[in-house]
Amino acid sequence: LAKTTQPISMDSYEGQEVNITCSHNNIATNDYITWYQQFPSQGPRFIIQGYKTKVTNEVASLFIPADRKSSTLSLPRVSLSDTAVYYCLVGDATRSQTGANNLFFGTGTRLTVIP
Amino acid sequence: SAVISQKPSRDICQRGTSLTIQCQVDSQVTMMFWYRQQPGQSLTLIATANQGSEATYESGFVIDKFPISRPNLTFSTLTVSNMSPEDSSIYLCSVEYSKETQYFGPGTRLLVL
């Protein structure tokens, strides 16, 4: 089962680029890598998802090396409102239909953006 | 995307009682999930609820303690039975909308005294 490891916390100044790396050594062939953002008193919010190489959207970029054993979430020019917990999730939700648990949230990385 | 609501948003309950949490989605979805998030901790999957079948529970969670209903494609309930203070947590429902992407409800904050 693909579990994940992330740094517990990170600090960054406003305007800097932030890179958060997630290790998932046991990732399976069918697993996608998904990142979520969670603010206090809210449910997690989808940020970005990828399978391999690089994915970019209006919010972030996701870099996945060829072996897929890790992934890096990149947040360009962070602002104070990016202060949140960021979770890396690896799994194939469709397998949950057969009873196999694939949906492990890691410890998350608490990002604090400093003025 | 999907819009998900949960009721109640928070509650304070006495030990030994039960609380049923409702999750409503604004569109039909096949897979719904229930998570628990204890204060300052990550999310732990309790069970997967698919319409027309029994919920699938993860290790450490049992149906007698967390019975789940899924009567249709837009609604599910999770009951926390015979509560103890250790059940104090945030309970979140989510739906799989597309390609393993989940959308989460706002959560139900439960305090058991």
Side-chain angles (χ1 to χ4, degrees):
Chain A
L1 300 175
K3 296 195 176 181
T4 62
T5 303
Q6 304 173 232
I8 296 296
S9 63
M10 295 180 70
D11 294 337
S12 175
Y13 288 101
E14 272 191 297
Q16 289 188 331
E17 177 184 80
V18 171
N19 296 307
I20 306 173
T21 297
C22 178
S23 297
H24 28 80
N25 292 318
N26 297 322
I27 189 168
T29 303
N30 293 334
D31 288 344
Y32 281 80
I33 300 160
T34 311
W35 285 79
Y36 293 85
Q37 176 191 57
Q38 187 177 28
F39 298 112
S41 301
Q42 295 185 24
R45 182 177 74 102
F46 170 85
I47 301 176
I48 197 167
Q49 183 183 71
Y51 183 79
K52 61 181 179 181
T53 63
K54 176 184 175 182
V55 180
T56 297
N57 61 22
E58 65 277 7
V59 176
S61 294
L62 179 60
F63 299 92
I64 305 169
D67 65 5
R68 302 200 330 122
K69 293 184 183 298
S70 67
S71 58
T72 299
L73 174 73
S74 181
L75 304 172
R77 299 179 299 281
V78 294
S79 64
L80 296 177
S81 62
D82 293 318
T83 294
V85 179
Y86 292 83
Y87 291 100
C88 164
L89 179 63
V90 174
D92 174 3
T94 58
R95 278 186 280 171
S96 287
Q97 289 180 309
T98 61
N101 176 13
N102 293 273
L103 303 177
F104 287 109
F105 276 80
T107 57
T109 298
R110 186 174 300 276
L111 172 66
T112 302
V113 180
I114 305 165
Chain B
S1 66
V3 176
I4 304 166
S5 60
Q6 288 185 233
K7 289 182 181 179
S9 59
R10 59 179 62 226
D11 207 343
I12 301 173
C13 301
Q14 296 296 321
R15 68 174 66 205
T17 62
S18 298
L19 176 71
T20 295
I21 303 168
Q22 300 179 5
C23 179
Q24 181 75 53
V25 188
D26 68 342
S27 57
Q28 294 185 339
V29 293
T30 302
M31 301 183 74
M32 294 181 76
F33 307 95
W34 286 98
Y35 287 85
R36 182 173 71 184
Q37 186 173 31
Q38 295 178 313
Q41 303 295 312
S42 182
L43 287 81
T44 301
L45 181 64
I46 297 172
T48 302
N50 294 326
Q51 195 268 338
S53 63
E54 292 283 330
T56 303
Y57 290 83
E58 303 307 325
S59 176
F61 299 97
V62 294
I63 188 171
D64 290 346
K65 175 67 175 177
F66 297 100
I68 288 172
S69 78
R70 183 79 199 273
N72 56 52
L73 292 175
T74 63
F75 187 78
S76 179
T77 67
L78 169 77
T79 299
V80 186
S81 304
N82 188 25
M83 288 184 286
S84 66
E86 291 72 34
D87 295 318
S88 297
S89 189
I90 300 171
Y91 292 86
L92 297 132
C93 70
S94 74
V95 303
E96 186 197 35
Y97 195 72
S98 65
K99 204 172 68 174
E100 293 83 36
T101 300
Q102 294 184 64
Y103 290 91
F104 285 82
T108 295
R109 189 177 297 269
L110 171 63
L111 176 63
V112 184
L113 302 177

